[in-house]
Amino acid sequence: MACVYCRSPGQESFAPRAGRLTQAEWAKLLEALRELGVVRVRLTGGEPLLSPEVTAVVRCAADLGFEDIALTTNASRLSPMAGALKTAGLMRVNVSLDSLSSARFRELTRGGQLSAVLAGISAARSQGLELRTNTVVLRGQNDGELEQLASFAWEHSATPRFLEVMAVGQGGCDVQGALVSVAEMRTRLNALLSDGLAQPEIDRGPARYVTSRCGTYRAGFISGMTQSFCEGCDRLRVTSTGEVRACLSMPVGLQLADLVRSGAPRTVLVAKFLEAWGGKPAGDWVGCGSPSARAVTMRAVGG
Ligand code: SF4
């Protein structure tokens, strides 16, 4: 897929295959992260299910004792893979779902097939994977579908989440005119959700959750633009070519691939991760709106 808020027109090609880490190389990085005490890992993309080694990487993370192993995917290839991923140790899946209209979905994703994504959601549910849907809300596109998307998620045992479109990458900057604030999303979902303050999950990322009026369900909101959540951010990202980045909104990082390939001992990799961690921006950083965010290539670093 080549979603409109991720890529500008004309950027629909795939990232080059050269230089991507192998499963054995991912294993070395995961071992170093475990040694540092990291307990949660999420496989993102681009699209992680395009990697032929994704199941092996999940298995490796499970064998190393990661307590939380999650995947963010467009789910178009999830249906035939969900069983193997679950067996390998996958626990949670976040699925991008921007519309329940096939035509709008195809338009927003530049060619995505909604039916394949819905099959992927069903397969993940059948496997007992914990499910969340992620909807980037765009004015004039899918902002009239929020109630429908929330109800769909709840009917499929998933937690819906609604995201402000972030000015990350050229695509995200191009569509800032379509930004819908979390406050407006809450208003649009007023009939379904309680009025209380949205609450974060401790140590579980930037989303804030509200319970449904019936008290049974939840919906999450991610306010990258109108309310920064950088303070307290505890994420490190590793690109498919082995670059560690301290922040989604910074287009540069520390390259570890050569070290891994030359057989550097784990202590060296651990030290490099600590060095990368030291590059975390200060607490007043507003990453998603920073000028550096425009230069990030989302297909290389994931969401
Ligand atoms: S923009 Fe950077 S610092 Fe802010 S939440 Fe995202 S990754 Fe963390």
Side-chain angles (χ1 to χ4, degrees), residues 206 228-231 233-235 237 246-249 280-281 285-288:
S228 169
F229 39 72
C230 294
E231 193 178 356
C233 169
D234 64 354
R235 297 193 174 191
R237 289 177 163 77
C247 172
L248 172 67
S249 302
K280 271 294 210 201
W285 173 247
V286 184
C288 298

Side-chain angles (χ1 to χ4, degrees), residues 115-301:
S115 56
V117 173
L118 298 184
I121 289 173
S122 293
R125 183 187 184 195
S126 304
Q127 292 296 331
L129 290 161
E130 188 183 321
L131 261 172
R132 291 172 176 172
T133 56
N134 283 343
T135 300
V136 176
V137 182
L138 297 174
R139 189 175 306 285
Q141 296 278 352
N142 58 359
D143 55 336
E145 285 192 65
L146 305 197
E147 285 194 5
Q148 200 189 349
L149 284 157
S151 299
F152 171 88
W154 291 335
E155 283 160 18
H156 290 78
S157 311
T159 301
R161 307 197 311 170
F162 300 97
L163 291 78
E164 292 177 358
V165 62
M166 296 185 293
V168 176
Q170 189 57 48
C173 294
D174 290 348
V175 296
Q176 279 306 297
L179 170 73
V180 177
S181 69
V182 160
E184 183 177 338
M185 295 177 206
R186 289 278 309 262
T187 303
R188 285 175 176 266
L189 284 161
N190 190 41
L192 298 182
L193 298 179
S194 63
D195 302 323
L197 212 60
Q199 300 290 346
E201 286 181 320
I202 304 300
D203 288 341
R204 280 292 176 91
R208 289 171 186 268
Y209 292 88
V210 181
T211 51
S212 61
R213 291 208 176 271
C214 65
T216 309
Y217 307 114
R218 295 187 314 157
F221 297 91
I222 300 182
S223 58
M225 299 305 292
T226 62
Q227 190 185 1
S228 169
F229 39 72
C230 294
E231 193 178 356
C233 169
D234 64 354
R235 297 193 174 191
L236 280 180
R237 289 177 163 77
V238 185
T239 69
S240 61
T241 54
E243 190 178 315
V244 189
R245 298 198 186 169
C247 172
L248 172 67
S249 302
M250 293 177 169
V252 290
L254 274 182
Q255 184 50 261
L256 299 193
D258 288 347
L259 282 174
V260 174
R261 287 176 186 139
S262 65
R266 194 181 307 164
T267 48
V268 172
L269 299 177
V270 165
K272 282 289 176 189
F273 275 121
L274 286 173
E275 187 182 338
W277 181 257
K280 271 294 210 201
D284 58 353
W285 173 247
V286 184
C288 298
S290 71
S292 66
R294 181 183 287 262
V296 170
T297 305
M298 284 289 277
R299 69 180 183 180
V301 77

